[in-house]
Structures are given as structure tokens and as C-alpha cells.
């Protein structure tokens, strides 16, 4: 029996399961996945000097970099740190200059009055904070969807930090989907909507980070870091808050989840459900570890 056949059989089994039983199963799988993410988050926490603000900042930038530029964004978070950005957050130009200059991207743009102002500001800030810019070669800048271009993501991030003070303490106060969206709610200036990509004249993009991406940030950054901190600090209330938040964010809709879903009778409603299915798919199905899988064991009456 192939992987797809097993997924189809298990998906049918899950659809036929009593809702309460499926909910308990999904929560158990969600916690398994959260523990894997916790291990990764705690490694980052140790690497950045056990600073939760820097950890959150690093994870947010890395996630905004997506598959192609996540590594470069993580490098940037070590070059232009949380404390630097926090000190300069009162001036949007300063944050943009630090992030774009530290990324090594400013030099790729043809100078106009605004780019010149950014470069002049960065010349001052690089000395003030002893910033060594990344080489532009670390970035993938071609064949990238406009709304995920690293320059656009950085100026959206700068606008968000300028609008709302970014901190781990603020993240712990997230209780609803709306609270998560507020963290990165700043709008890039009109200038950047037409100039985010130095080689794509006439191409425009969205000023805001969209609801879809903000939901994913909630699922993949905010909720996991709250759980990681809750376990580290033995704070059961924070863990409970994170689980409640996961129940209030809609399920992801990607090619993996579609393999498990039946539009007529969907089994993934919340982020807990979709994360549970992703955990099944990535950690059991793809590795043919059926005999270690909770769903497989339940199907055979072993649990």
C-alpha cells in the first residue's frame, strides 16, 4: 500500500471519528509538533544570548524570508540586532536604513533623493553600532513573488516596528487572531510599492503583510515561542493561552492539508488541526513510519 493510499485511508478514518476523539488526537499531535519547534526555538534562544526579544525578532525575520531568503534574514538579525532597532524605532528612516543597509541591499539601488538619504543615515548608523553589512550575494532576488521580495519584507517590517513596539512581552499578550495581526501591521511607504525590486520597473506590490501571512506567522512563530517560553518558565497559563490562540486561527490551506481534507466534510478547521495533519504527513507518512503513528495504531485498535 503506497503513501497516498495510506493517507486516503487514514483521512477517511479521521473523518468518521467522533469529533471529541479527533479533537483529543489532534491536540496530542499538535503538542508533538510544538515540542519539535520548541527544541529549535531554544537553540536560537541560546545562540542569541538567552534574550527572548532577540529570539522573537530573529524568528520573525527568518519567517518573513520564506524558503529562499530565510537564512539571509536570520543572518541579518545577528548583524542588525533587536536592541539596535528598538533604540531607533522612533524614526522610520533609521530603521529602514539599518535593515536595508545591513542587508547589503542599498547599494543595488540607483540613487535618488530618498535612497541617498537612506545611505547617508546608514553611514552614520553603521559607525554608531559597528554594523558590518552582509554581502548582497546572500540574497535570492530574482524569480521571487513580488509580495515576498526581501526588500519589501524589510520595509514592511520596519514600518511595523515603527508603528508598534516589538517585544516578547507584547507577543505574550496575544489572545486573538487580531492581536497577532497587529504585531506586523505597518504599511510600507508608497515609494517602496514601486521601488522594492531594483530590476522590476513598473511592478507593484502590497503595502501590508497580508492576513494569510500574518496567520502563518501566528502559527509558526508566535504560538511556538509562547509554548517554548511557557515550558521553559513552567508557566502553564502561557501554554494554555497559546493553545487557545491556535484554536482561534483558521487551519492552513496548502498542498499537504488538501491531501487530507474533503471539502464536504473538512477535518481541519483550526491551526491545531492543520498543524496536527502536517505533523502526521511530515513525520510519519513521508517516512513510512506507519507503525509508530497514532492514527495507524488507532485504526488497528492498538490504542
Amino acid at each position: 500500500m503506497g503513501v497516498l493510499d495510506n493517507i486516503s485511508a487514514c483521512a477517511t478514518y479521521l473523518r468518521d471519528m467522533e469529533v471529541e476523539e479527533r479533537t483529543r488526537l489532534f491536540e496530542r499531535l499538535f503538542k508533538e509538533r510544538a515540542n519539535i519547534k520548541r527544541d529549535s526555538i531554544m537553540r536560537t534562544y541560546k545562540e542569541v544570548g538567552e534574550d527572548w526579544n532577540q529570539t522573537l525578532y530573529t524568528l520573525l525575520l527568518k519567517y518573513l524570508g520564506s524558503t529562499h531568503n530565510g537564512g539571509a534574514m536570520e543572518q541579518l538579525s545577528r548583524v542588525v540586532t533587536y536592541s539596535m532597532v528598538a533604540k531607533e524605532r522612533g524614526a522610520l528612516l533609521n530603521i529602514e536604513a539599518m535593515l536595508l543597509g545591513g542587508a547589503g541591499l542599498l547599494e543595488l539601488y540607483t540613487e535618488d533623493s530618498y535612497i541617498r538619504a537612506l545611505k547617508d543615515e546608514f553611514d552614520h548608523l553603521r559607525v554608531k553600532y559597528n554594523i558590518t553589512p552582509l554581502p548582497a550575494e546572500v540574497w535570492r532576488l530574482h524569480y521571487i513573488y513580488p509580495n515576498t521580495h526581501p526588500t519589501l519584507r524589510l520595509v514592511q517590517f520596519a514600518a511595523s516596528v515603527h508603528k508598534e513596539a516589538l517585544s516578547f512581552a507584547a507577543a505574550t499578550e496575544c489572545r486573538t487572531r487580531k492581536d497577532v495581526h497587529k504585531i506586523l501591521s505597518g504599511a510600507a511607504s508608497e515609494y517602496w510599492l514601486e521601488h522594492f525590486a531594483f530590476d522590476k520597473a513598473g511592478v507593484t506590490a502590497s503595502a501590508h503583510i497580508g492576513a494569510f501571512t500574518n496567520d502563518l506567522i501566528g502559527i509558526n512563530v508566535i504560538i511556538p515561542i509562547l509554548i517554548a517560553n511557557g515550558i521553559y518558565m513552567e508557566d502553564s497559563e502561557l501554554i494554555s493561552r497559546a493553545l487557545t490562540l491556535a484554536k482561534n486561527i483558521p487551519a492552513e490551506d496548502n498542498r499537504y492539508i488538501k491531501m487530507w481534507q474533503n471539502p464536504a466534510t473538512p477535518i481541519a478547521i483550526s491551526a491545531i488541526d492543520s498543524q496536527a495533519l502536517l505533523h502526521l504527513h511530515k513525520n510519519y507518512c513521508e517516512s513510512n513510519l506507519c507503525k509508530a503513528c497514532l492514527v495507524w495504531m488507532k485504526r488497528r485498535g492498538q490504542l
Side-chain angles (χ1 to χ4, degrees):
M1 199 173 189
V3 171
L4 292 180
D5 292 327
N6 272 328
I7 289 174
S8 178
C10 287
T12 299
Y13 175 78
L14 288 170
R15 280 196 298 274
D16 292 340
M17 187 181 287
E18 291 291 332
V19 173
E20 289 185 1
E21 184 181 7
R22 186 171 65 231
T23 297
R24 287 194 297 271
L25 176 63
F26 279 176
E27 287 184 356
R28 184 171 171 182
L29 290 165
F30 174 86
K31 289 174 182 177
E32 279 189 19
R33 184 167 177 81
N35 279 331
I36 294 172
K37 291 184 177 183
R38 175 175 62 90
D39 291 342
S40 175
I41 289 169
M42 293 310 297
R43 283 194 296 271
T44 299
Y45 174 69
K46 297 292 185 183
E47 290 167 2
V48 301
E50 300 189 353
D51 183 327
W52 285 107
N53 284 323
Q54 178 67 32
T55 302
L56 174 63
Y57 171 80
T58 297
L59 294 175
L60 284 171
L61 281 176
K62 183 178 180 180
Y63 195 82
L64 286 175
S66 66
T67 303
H68 300 305
N69 287 298
M73 285 285 206
E74 185 172 11
Q75 290 182 59
L76 176 60
S77 75
R78 313 295 172 89
V79 170
V80 178
T81 65
Y82 170 85
S83 63
M84 296 177 194
V85 170
K87 288 174 184 176
E88 303 294 334
R89 70 167 291 263
L92 178 58
L93 184 77
N94 294 18
I95 308 173
E96 290 179 339
M98 275 202 300
L99 290 173
L100 295 174
L105 295 175
L106 273 180
E107 297 305 320
L108 301 179
Y109 287 85
T110 302
E111 282 195 12
D112 55 25
S113 60
Y114 188 59
I115 296 298
R116 181 69 259 166
L118 286 169
K119 288 181 177 180
D120 288 345
E121 191 58 44
F122 182 62
D123 286 343
H124 164 68
L125 292 168
R126 73 186 296 178
V127 174
K128 180 179 179 180
Y129 293 108
N130 193 27
I131 298 171
T132 302
L134 296 173
E137 292 75 23
V138 304
W139 300 94
R140 177 170 171 178
L141 301 172
H142 303 288
Y143 307 109
I144 299 290
Y145 287 116
N147 285 335
T148 62
H149 193 282
T151 296
L152 181 64
R153 285 305 196 205
L154 287 174
V155 295
Q156 288 171 332
F157 186 79
S160 298
V161 172
H162 177 60
K163 179 182 177 184
E164 299 282 346
L166 176 68
S167 69
F168 178 73
T172 65
E173 294 303 314
C174 287
R175 287 172 167 77
T176 66
R177 183 187 184 201
K178 184 178 179 180
D179 292 337
V180 171
H181 288 207
K182 187 178 179 181
I183 292 174
L184 295 181
S185 60
S189 67
E190 187 175 345
Y191 176 93
W192 287 113
L193 302 189
E194 296 182 353
H195 294 84
F196 66 91
F198 61 90
D199 59 348
K200 289 183 172 61
V203 177
T204 59
S206 173
H208 291 88
I209 294 172
F212 175 79
T213 299
N214 269 313
D215 281 344
L216 293 179
I217 286 169
I219 293 168
N220 293 288
V221 177
I222 304 302
I223 292 168
I225 200 173
L226 296 186
I227 292 174
N229 180 265
I231 293 173
Y232 181 72
M233 300 297 294
E234 298 183 351
D235 185 343
S236 59
E237 182 181 343
L238 188 58
I239 296 170
S240 177
R241 190 182 306 167
L243 293 174
T244 299
L245 185 57
K247 292 175 184 177
N248 290 325
I249 295 178
E252 297 139 284
D253 182 22
N254 55 44
R255 63 190 178 93
Y256 299 106
I257 303 305
K258 288 182 190 301
M259 295 172 70
W260 291 86
Q261 290 276 55
N262 181 331
T265 54
I267 56 174
I269 307 300
S270 73
I272 284 186
D273 305 331
S274 58
Q275 284 288 289
L277 292 177
L278 278 174
H279 184 65
L280 275 178
H281 197 100
K282 294 283 189 180
N283 293 276
Y284 296 99
C285 304
E286 287 185 352
S287 302
N288 289 310
L289 293 175
C290 294
K291 292 183 179 179
C293 172
L294 293 175
V295 177
W296 191 91
M297 287 189 277
K298 275 187 169 293
R299 281 177 58 194
R300 282 153 182 77
Q302 296 177 10
L303 280 179

